[in-house]
């Protein structure tokens, strides 16, 4: 029997699909004979009592989830997401540098530093990638801090905002598509495959409502992993291979029949009736990995 | 910017001091305590939480409270009673958005400057802690918070040392150490 702690925050239970998925993890673990408890921020001192920690709260080296992950890791527990994956996935500069080093096909990307940011550089970017381009803060997640700019004024305005929290920002070629592939990967194997559709008239999967704090999300169309294109799966596995052997959600765009990686996310969303719609065994595979 | 310099060098396969992993871990207090204690440094019992009730259930007053968030680098605060604890936790957790790290205050809190594992306080136990922290994280310049209880010293926290806190004599020591690093290709 493996004692598994699932680190969550209150917001993980805000959406019924996510709350149901968490219950699926618990039921699956218990069916397999393991102990599965939800651990909140006040339960961190209990970490040594467990054999494995599964993190579902948003991960970032600046958040409590990283403290949980690293503490568990240092104590020799099995951890998903492991601290290395959190560090690499939370910093897109780190991630794209690794893709460059290991020749993983990815969206054309350059980095701008706060120190060298000037008018000529913006002109060079537009010359290189055309208009518009996509600006990303290194700490982006859930489609936040990713913005499209078409002129120098908006480029400066967005860059100024992103430079407040980071010395570098990421600039990418704008590649419009009706959907992004999302490939779930666990321990070097494909777990699920979905299409994250863009909401009507939008260019990214999650878009903030004008003047409101809430987001509007596109539909999720799920495929059986065995029916997904082989080349897509190979690209996803190659991207994850340079990061680690944990649980990832790889965003991929299809460009003229080729697959290019948009980004790899640790702590990927798993919602009941969405990512698990075609391959119901994803809960069992994750629990078995934690209990190994 | 220093983080990205280290990051790029690491990706290119160069030796970097400190590594990006150590630079992140040393400033996340609970991780500092876990890793330093594994290396043999004495630490106080601690609690990571945002719940005042839980703190009061675990520790008697007074307690020392450190922020565990990316924005606060201004030392610690002590709380001697329930009202003070509520005020301190609300402030350091940024209105309960982040957790705090709480330790019992049983002796005297000391702040010492550490330069390459050598500290500016003539106390064998404190010097030993500074050395162990440096061996673990390789943070060349930092401020250590240490609690002295009886004859023993306990590591409580680590924070960046501001430029204005470094005296000319210390700046001279730092430049000598960096010269030695360049000559030998590494620290002792």
């Amino acid at each position: 029997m493996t004692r598994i702690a699932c680190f969550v925050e209150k917001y993980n239970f805000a959406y019924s699909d996510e709350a149901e998925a968490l219950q699926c993890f618990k039921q699956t673990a218990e069916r397999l004979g393991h102990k599965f408890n939800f651990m909140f921020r006040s339960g961190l001192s209990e970490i040594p009592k467990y054999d494995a920690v599964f993190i579902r709260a948003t991960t970032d080296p600046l958040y409590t989830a990283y403290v949980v992950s690293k503490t568990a890791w240092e104590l020799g527990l099995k951890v998903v997401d492991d601290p290395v994956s959190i560090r690499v996935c939370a910093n897109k500069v780190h991630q794209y540098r690794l893709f460059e080093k290991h020749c993983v096909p990815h969206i054309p990307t350059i980095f701008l530093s706060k120190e060298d940011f000037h008018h000529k550089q913006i002109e060079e970017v537009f010359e290189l990638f055309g208009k518009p381009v996509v600006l990303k803060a290194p700490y982006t997640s859930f489609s936040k801090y990713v913005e499209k700019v078409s002129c120098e004024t908006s480029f400066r305005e967005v860059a100024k905002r992103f430079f407040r929290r980071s010395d570098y920002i990421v600039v990418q070629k704008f590649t419009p598509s009706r959907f992004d592939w999302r490939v779930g990967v666990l321990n070097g194997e494909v777990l699920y495959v979905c299409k994250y559709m863009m909401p009507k008239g939008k260019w990214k999967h999650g878009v903030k409502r004008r003047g409101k704090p809430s987001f509007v999300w596109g539909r999720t169309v799920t495929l059986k992993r065995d029916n997904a294109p082989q080349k897509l799966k190979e690209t996803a596995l190659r991207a994850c291979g340079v990061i680690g052997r944990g649980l990832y959600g790889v965003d991929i765009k299809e460009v003229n029949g080729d697959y290019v990686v948009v980004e790899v996310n640790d702590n990927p969303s798993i919602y009941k009736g969405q990512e698990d719609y075609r391959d119901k065994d994803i809960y069992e595979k994750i629990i078995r990995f934690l209990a190994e | 910017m220093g983080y990205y310099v280290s990051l790029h060098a690491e990706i290119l396969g160069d030796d970097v001091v400190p590594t990006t992993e150590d630079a992140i871990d040393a400033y996340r207090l609970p991780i500092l305590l876990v890793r330093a204690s594994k290396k043999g440094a004495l630490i106080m019992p601690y609690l990571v939480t945002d719940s005042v009730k839980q703190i009061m259930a675990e520790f008697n007053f007074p307690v020392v409270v450190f922020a565990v968030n990316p924005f606060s680098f201004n030392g610690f605060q002590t709380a001697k009673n329930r009202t003070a604890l509520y005020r301190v936790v609300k402030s350091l957790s940024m209105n309960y958005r982040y957790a705090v790290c709480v330790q019992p205050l049983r002796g005297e809190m000391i702040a010492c400057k550490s330069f390459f594992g050598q500290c500016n306080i003539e106390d064998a136990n404190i010097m030993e802690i500074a050395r162990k922290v440096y061996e673990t994280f390789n943070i060349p310049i930092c401020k250590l918070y240490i609690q002295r209880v009886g004859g023993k010293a306990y590591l409580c926290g680590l924070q960046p040392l501001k430029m204005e806190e470094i005296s000319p004599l210390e700046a001279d020591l730092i430049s000598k150490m960096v010269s030695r690093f360049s000559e030998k290709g590494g620290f002792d």
Side-chain angles (χ1 to χ4, degrees):
Chain A
M1 183 193 74
T2 306
R3 292 160 299 178
I4 303 167
C6 180
F7 179 67
V8 284
E9 301 255 23
K10 282 174 200 159
Y11 56 74
N12 290 111
F13 295 91
Y15 294 104
S16 60
D17 289 350
E18 187 175 11
E20 281 178 43
L22 288 170
Q23 288 306 326
C24 284
F25 278 115
K26 186 172 171 62
Q27 286 160 9
T28 307
E30 287 169 354
R31 181 170 52 78
L32 294 171
H34 306 300
K35 202 174 156 190
F36 188 99
N37 290 338
F38 292 115
M39 180 173 72
F40 289 85
R41 209 183 273 182
S42 56
L44 264 58
S45 51
E46 310 270 298
I47 292 174
K49 295 180 187 167
Y50 291 95
D51 305 306
V53 175
F54 180 36
I55 296 173
R56 287 281 78 202
T58 304
T59 51
D60 186 302
L62 305 179
Y63 293 172
T64 313
Y66 181 73
V67 172
V68 173
S69 173
K70 187 73 194 216
T71 305
W73 180 267
E74 288 290 335
L75 295 172
L77 276 60
K78 183 103 181 217
V79 196
V80 172
D81 304 293
D82 61 89
V84 178
S85 299
I86 294 177
R87 279 201 310 274
V88 177
C89 294
N91 189 324
K92 299 298 180 275
V93 174
H94 193 167
Q95 192 173 111
Y96 292 122
R97 288 271 191 221
L98 286 176
F99 291 163
E100 278 173 5
K101 185 180 175 184
H102 297 279
C103 303
V104 175
H106 61 283
I107 298 248
T109 303
I110 58 166
F111 310 104
L112 293 187
S113 85
K114 197 193 278 186
E115 287 177 351
D116 305 330
F117 185 62
H118 53 79
H119 162 75
K120 204 175 165 211
Q121 209 173 26
I122 299 174
E123 277 189 343
E124 281 169 7
V125 167
F126 282 138
E127 213 168 280
L128 182 67
F129 291 150
K131 289 181 183 177
V133 293
V134 174
L135 299 192
K136 269 186 185 180
Y139 45 85
T140 165
S141 64
F142 295 105
S143 298
K144 288 179 194 161
Y145 310 108
V146 180
E147 297 191 24
K148 188 174 67 171
V149 295
S150 328
C151 64
E152 184 170 340
T153 314
S154 50
F155 196 119
R156 279 183 183 280
E157 186 266 316
V158 174
K160 193 179 163 190
R161 230 176 328 119
F162 291 173
F163 277 136
R164 270 185 219 150
R165 260 187 67 190
S166 174
D167 292 327
Y168 272 86
I169 58 169
V170 175
V171 187
Q172 291 186 318
K173 186 175 177 175
F174 178 58
T175 314
S177 60
R178 281 183 53 239
F179 63 87
D180 279 355
W181 288 100
R182 165 56 70 97
V183 183
V185 173
L186 175 70
N187 192 25
E189 282 181 22
V190 173
L191 200 58
Y192 60 85
V193 179
C194 313
K195 288 177 180 177
Y196 281 173
M197 309 301 289
M198 308 303 167
K200 201 176 173 187
K202 308 292 180 190
W203 63 278
K204 57 181 183 174
H205 181 57
V207 188
K208 192 175 171 291
R209 287 196 173 93
R210 190 168 292 207
K212 291 180 183 174
S214 57
F215 268 64
V216 55
W217 296 94
R219 282 184 307 127
T220 301
V221 178
T222 316
L223 282 79
K224 264 187 105 57
R225 62 178 170 251
D226 294 338
N227 297 342
Q230 189 59 30
K231 207 172 160 190
L232 169 78
K233 292 189 276 190
E234 283 167 8
T235 307
L237 294 178
R238 208 168 143 198
C240 295
V242 303
I243 296 173
R245 305 282 295 179
L247 174 64
Y248 309 100
V250 190
D251 292 338
I252 293 178
K253 277 194 192 287
E254 199 173 334
V255 183
N256 303 326
D258 284 329
Y259 295 99
V260 287
V261 177
V262 178
E263 60 184 42
V264 177
N265 301 283
D266 63 326
N267 196 13
S269 306
I270 296 178
Y271 289 180
K272 177 84 180 152
Q274 296 189 28
E275 285 79 3
D276 66 350
Y277 190 62
R278 297 287 178 195
D279 295 295
K280 306 283 183 199
D281 59 353
I282 66 172
Y283 301 104
E284 191 172 326
K285 279 180 178 278
I286 293 169
I287 295 295
R288 284 192 188 282
F289 177 69
L290 284 161
E292 258 172 23
Chain B
M1 189 56 80
Y3 180 83
Y4 282 104
V5 173
S6 297
L7 180 64
H8 294 164
E10 270 174 19
I11 291 169
L12 292 172
D14 295 332
D15 285 335
V16 183
V17 180
T19 62
T20 50
E21 179 187 6
D22 290 338
I24 289 176
D25 289 0
Y27 297 105
R28 311 247 68 77
L29 181 53
I31 302 172
L32 168 89
L33 297 176
V34 169
R35 288 187 59 188
S37 71
K38 272 178 80 176
K39 198 80 181 175
L42 289 177
I43 59 164
M44 279 281 168
Y46 66 92
L47 184 64
V48 182
T49 185
D50 56 1
S51 161
V52 173
K53 282 181 186 163
Q54 195 187 3
I55 297 168
M56 289 194 295
E58 296 270 342
F59 299 129
N60 293 324
F61 289 109
V63 291
V64 192
V65 186
F66 285 88
V68 186
N69 72 57
F71 308 105
S72 306
F73 293 106
N74 49 354
F76 59 88
Q77 293 190 39
T78 55
K80 292 177 181 167
N81 54 47
R82 187 169 172 267
T83 314
L85 186 61
Y86 268 103
R87 182 178 44 77
V88 166
V89 172
K90 188 174 177 0
S91 155
L92 293 179
S93 67
M94 301 180 80
N95 214 7
Y96 306 103
R97 192 173 161 212
Y98 296 95
V100 293
C101 184
V102 186
Q103 301 168 45
L105 178 60
R106 291 175 187 157
E108 172 198 10
M109 284 296 286
I110 294 166
C112 78
K113 298 176 197 173
S114 168
F115 302 102
F116 303 94
Q118 294 172 19
C119 76
N120 62 339
I121 292 181
E122 291 292 323
D123 178 313
N125 293 326
I126 292 177
M127 285 160 89
E128 176 74 359
I129 285 187
R131 192 179 57 76
K132 281 182 174 155
V133 169
Y134 181 67
E135 280 173 8
T136 313
F137 296 97
N138 281 303
I139 303 290
I141 302 163
C142 61
K143 189 194 283 181
L144 295 174
Y145 289 102
I146 290 166
Q147 202 175 145
R148 196 150 50 186
V149 185
K152 290 182 178 170
Y154 298 83
L155 174 68
C156 288
L158 179 150
Q159 285 178 355
L161 194 58
K162 291 176 192 153
M163 277 297 281
E164 56 267 27
E165 291 178 276
I166 300 173
S167 69
L169 204 68
E170 289 160 349
D172 196 41
L173 172 75
I174 294 166
S175 84
K176 275 182 192 157
M177 294 294 283
V178 172
S179 304
R180 271 173 65 192
F181 180 89
S182 308
E183 283 164 20
K184 295 173 71 176
F187 292 114
D188 297 327

